[in-house]
Amino acid sequence: MKRIAIILDKNLEPGAAANVAALLMGQAALNEPGLYSDQPVLDHSGVQHAGIRYSTVILKAGENQLINLAKLCSDDSGGLSHVVFSQTGQSLNNAFEQYAVEIASMELEATKVVGVIVWGEDDQVRAATKKFSVMK
C-alpha cells in the first residue's frame, strides 16, 4: 500500500496552502504516473470522480522542519519520493524560465520552502512524517 503526505508551512494563508498543495500534487502525478487511474472512475450518473490510487494526507510544519524533511528524503535510500515548492516559486508568477534559473542557483534553505510532498510505501511515509500534525 502506498501513501502521499503533503506537508505545508503552518503559516500559509488557506488560499496559498491550497495552491501549494495543488502544485505539489500535480508534479507528483507527473513523476509517478501510477498515482492516478488510467481509466475514468464514473458514478452511475456518468460523472467522473478523481481516480487517486494512494491515501493522501495534508499536514503542517515549520519552515526548518520542511527543509529537514526534504534533506531526509534526499539522503534516504528507503525509496521515498519527494518534491518541494518554495517562496521563490510563489514570487515568480507566470515566469517559469526565471524560476528555473533562480532555483538552480540557490541552496535549498535560500529558496524558503513552503511545501513538501512525500510519497512511497505507507509505513515509510508515516515514519518520515509522524512528527507533523494534520492541517486544519
Side-chain angles (χ1 to χ4, degrees), residues 38-107:
D38 292 339
Q39 301 300 313
V41 176
L42 304 175
D43 65 24
H44 189 68
S45 301
V47 175
Q48 186 172 354
H49 294 251
I52 186 82
R53 293 184 185 270
Y54 302 172
S55 177
T56 305
V57 64
I58 299 181
L59 307 170
K60 63 183 177 179
E63 182 184 350
N64 288 336
Q65 291 175 305
L66 293 169
I67 290 168
N68 290 337
L69 175 62
K71 287 181 175 182
L72 171 75
C73 291
S74 293
D75 295 341
D76 182 22
S77 61
L80 286 179
S81 298
H82 72 289
V83 173
V84 305
F85 192 65
S86 65
Q87 283 182 6
T88 301
Q90 287 179 309
S91 70
L92 296 170
N93 190 8
N94 292 323
F96 176 76
E97 299 303 326
Q98 182 182 355
Y99 165 69
V101 168
E102 285 193 29
I103 291 295
S105 71
M106 301 171 84
E107 293 294 328

Side-chain angles (χ1 to χ4, degrees), residues 3-14 16-18 20-21 24 55-63 65-66 69 113-119 122 124-136:
R3 182 174 188 83
I4 301 166
I6 301 171
I7 306 92
L8 302 173
D9 186 310
K10 63 185 177 185
N11 297 314
L12 287 174
E13 296 294 326
V20 171
L24 289 169
S55 177
T56 305
V57 64
I58 299 181
L59 307 170
K60 63 183 177 179
E63 182 184 350
Q65 291 175 305
L66 293 169
L69 175 62
V113 174
V114 293
V116 179
I117 186 168
V118 177
W119 69 96
D122 185 87
Q124 293 171 318
V125 172
R126 285 179 189 271
T129 62
K130 66 183 174 188
K131 62 184 150 232
F132 308 125
S133 55
V134 174
M135 180 164 260
K136 297 179 182 181

